[in-house]
Structure formats: C-alpha cells, structure tokens
Amino acid sequence: MKVLQILPAVILWGVVVVRLIGLRFGWRLGILPAVSLVAAGATLNIDAVYLAIDAPLGGRNLLNLFVHLLMGMGMTELSRLLLRATGRASRRWNAVMIAVLVLVVAQAVLLLISDTQGSATNFTDAFAHVPAVAWYQASFFAWVGLITGYTGIECTRRNRCGESRGFRIGFDIVSAACLSGVAAVTTKMALILLEVFAIDGDFEQLLYVGYRALIAITIVGFAVGFILPSYGRVRRGLRARRNRARDLGTLRPLVLRLVETAEGRRAVEAAKVSMDAKNSRTQLYRWFILVSDIRVLHPELLSSHEHELVDEIGKRIEQPGTAQPTSKVRV
C-alpha cells in the first residue's frame, strides 16, 4: 500500500525536475505549476506525512481538504493545458468550471460543519458515522471524475495530424489515465456507499486496494504522458546545445584569424561582436554573420575548406533539427 502512495509522488516530482531543467532551455512554465500542485498533494497524502502534519494543525483533518484542493486544482489546470495543446478547448469548459466551483465550495462547507476530530488516513472509513462526510468525499471524487472523464473524451477526439511521436504517445497515455481516473472514482463511490449503508464484506478491502491502484495509475499516467514530450524537448535541447558548441568551436579559430586582418578588425568594430566563448545562439549567429559578411566582401581571406565549413554551419542554422512535427501548443 505504501508503494501505491509513494510511487506517484516520486514520479510527479520527477516531472517537476524535468520541467525545471527545461527552464534553462527557454521553456515556459507550462505545466510546471500544475504538476507541482499535484505532486505536493500526492506527497501530503502519504500516510506518514499526513499524520505528521495534520496533528499540529489540530487533528481535525483540515489537511485532507487542503490535499483535495491541491490535487483537484492541479489536475484541473493540467486538463485545461492538455485541451489547449490538443486543440480541444471549447465553450463547454466554462460549464465544467462552474460545476467544479460548486463542488469545491460544497467540500469546504461539508468539512467545516462535520466533526472530524482525529487525524485519519482512511477518511471515509474513519468517519462513516458522519453523514456529511460521505457527501464531502463524494464531492471531491465527483470533481476528479468530471475532470478526468471530460479530458479523456476530448483527448481521444483530438486531431492527431502534425503531432510528434512523443507528443502522440504521451497524450494517448494521458487518455488511458483518464479512463483509469473514471474507474477509480467509480470504485471510490462504491466504497462510500458501502460505508454509508454499513455493508460489510470481504470485497471491501479488495475494492479499497483497487481504488488505490487505479488512483496511482491515473496519477502516474498523467505524469508519464506529460513527461514524454518534455523529455523529447530536453533531448533536442541538449543535442542543439552540443551542435552549437561544435559550430562555435569551428568558427572560433576562423574568427580569431580574420580579426587579425584589417578587413576583419573593421567588421568586428562595426558589428561590435564579442570574442567571448559563449555557448549561445546569439553568439553563434553573430560570429556566423561576421564571417559571412567578410567572405562576401573578401572571399580570398577564406580557404575553400573554410568556405565549405561556413556553408555547413549556415545550413544547420537554417534547419536546426526541428523539422519534426510538434504539438500545436507547447505544454
């Protein structure tokens, strides 16, 4: 059971780390805030962590509501970004948000009016005698079911033309995770009903384990589905960085030689080109333009081999290895 709680949190924080690395390559925040919320919620939902934090807060299980809000808001934001990325954003989203707002308010009210003293990791089982708790739990899982169900339907209906391989596989995994989320919600609703009507049976523990497994699959599916396109972008970024360093290394001795000539000195002074060994696109472009300008005006200053090297670098600059189809909107 501990593995089913810890594994999703570990994978989610892995996604966060990948996205943080991506910021160094100029990525936007994208899914980073949303995944961070879900990761924080999954971490706080680990039994040992939950008990250690809820007790100092008064042991009234207010942390349970906080966990619900973190995970719910994170998954809702992931859904919004996913639908925008797949071109499936629609007017129906506003109706979904209204329903979510109603469910959030209902959760807060139901918990505050309920007697939930005593930190409990299995909230439904511990407070089955409190009628409002059943509605409180049902409100949260209705929220999860609404988001995962709506996202799964819209995602499967997306237009896959122009998608990169990583994007397509990743979001197909997210679609499957949404189905798992709906199944998890259905299982949890069944457990809530069993507790409300005090129905005992050997299958109850089996349902509980099944629910935990489905929730873990859902969270891991979302994480893996979003990390695949991100991983692809990291690989492309690292490859571009290596290629840029190689091209700068090729141009540097040529630039140093040219600036020793009168023509080169005039060009450097006019363009105000830095000779620092910076591994950046800007530096590569400036050096390439400097050499290109000099060789147009004074082609005799470069050997035939150097002309070929500059032509090859120019081709890579024009086609930097991003010709593969990508998503419509980066996430």
Side-chain angles (χ1 to χ4, degrees):
M1 191 62 67
K2 290 181 180 180
V3 174
L4 295 178
Q5 293 181 333
I6 296 174
L7 181 61
V10 171
I11 293 178
L12 286 166
W13 286 119
V15 178
V16 172
V17 170
V18 170
R19 298 299 299 194
L20 287 173
I21 293 173
L23 294 178
R24 297 193 59 185
F25 295 98
W27 293 10
R28 297 178 180 177
L29 284 177
I31 65 170
L32 179 58
V35 174
S36 298
L37 289 176
V38 181
T43 302
L44 292 173
N45 202 42
I46 297 172
D47 289 351
V49 177
Y50 183 89
L51 293 174
I53 296 177
D54 188 65
L57 296 177
R60 273 213 59 211
N61 290 287
L62 293 176
L63 185 60
N64 188 273
L65 176 61
F66 186 60
V67 170
H68 283 187
L69 293 177
L70 284 177
M71 299 191 72
M73 289 189 299
M75 293 189 71
T76 300
E77 177 63 7
L78 284 176
S79 173
R80 185 187 70 82
L81 293 171
L82 173 63
L83 296 177
R84 183 164 66 93
T86 55
R88 294 301 305 176
S90 68
R91 294 179 181 178
R92 287 188 292 270
W93 181 252
N94 293 331
V96 172
M97 287 299 95
I98 293 173
V100 165
L101 181 60
V102 171
L103 292 170
V104 169
V105 173
Q107 284 181 76
V109 172
L110 288 167
L111 184 67
L112 292 176
I113 66 173
S114 303
D115 180 13
T116 55
Q117 190 65 40
S119 301
T121 53
N122 189 340
F123 200 74
T124 303
D125 182 59
F127 298 103
H129 61 283
V130 182
V133 168
W135 289 105
Y136 164 77
Q137 290 286 76
S139 298
F140 171 67
F141 288 99
W143 179 5
V144 174
L146 176 64
I147 290 298
T148 54
Y150 177 74
T151 305
I153 291 172
E154 292 297 328
C155 191
T156 55
R157 295 171 60 189
R158 75 185 190 275
N159 183 359
R160 290 171 169 78
C161 295
E163 292 181 352
S164 67
R165 184 171 179 270
F167 184 92
R168 183 179 65 256
I169 295 175
F171 283 7
D172 283 344
I173 291 175
V174 171
S175 299
C178 287
L179 296 178
S180 174
V182 174
V185 168
T186 303
T187 305
K188 185 61 178 181
M189 291 297 191
L191 285 168
I192 292 172
L193 289 175
L194 290 176
E195 294 294 343
V196 169
F197 294 104
I199 301 174
D200 296 325
D202 296 335
F203 56 88
E204 185 176 358
Q205 182 61 27
L206 182 61
L207 282 176
Y208 182 71
V209 174
Y211 153 71
R212 283 289 190 181
L214 288 169
I215 282 291
I217 291 172
T218 301
I219 295 176
V220 170
F222 264 84
V224 173
F226 275 106
I227 205 173
L228 282 178
S230 300
Y231 173 70
R233 290 171 63 187
V234 168
R235 288 186 61 189
R236 289 193 295 272
L238 290 173
R239 184 167 60 248
R241 187 179 181 87
R242 289 194 299 269
N243 291 339
R244 188 165 60 244
R246 181 189 60 194
D247 290 339
L248 284 167
T250 300
L251 286 176
R252 185 171 180 77
L254 176 57
V255 171
L256 290 174
R257 182 174 64 79
L258 290 175
V259 297
E260 295 297 324
T261 65
E263 296 82 356
R265 283 194 295 271
R266 286 195 295 269
V268 170
E269 292 173 359
K272 297 181 179 179
V273 176
S274 170
M275 299 307 297
D276 294 338
K278 299 177 182 177
N279 186 6
S280 66
R281 284 190 296 269
T282 301
Q283 186 74 312
L284 176 61
Y285 295 159
R286 286 177 178 174
W287 282 8
F288 175 75
I289 292 172
L290 173 69
V291 173
S292 298
D293 289 344
I294 293 175
R295 76 169 183 156
V296 168
L297 298 174
H298 305 282
E300 70 281 359
L301 294 178
L302 280 75
S303 67
S304 58
H305 178 62
E306 288 172 337
H307 279 287
E308 292 177 0
L309 290 177
V310 174
D311 287 336
E312 291 176 3
I313 293 173
K315 291 178 182 178
R316 282 194 290 273
I317 291 176
E318 292 177 359
Q319 299 177 345
T322 57
Q324 292 183 349
T326 58
S327 63
K328 306 167 189 65
V329 180
R330 289 188 175 182
V331 294

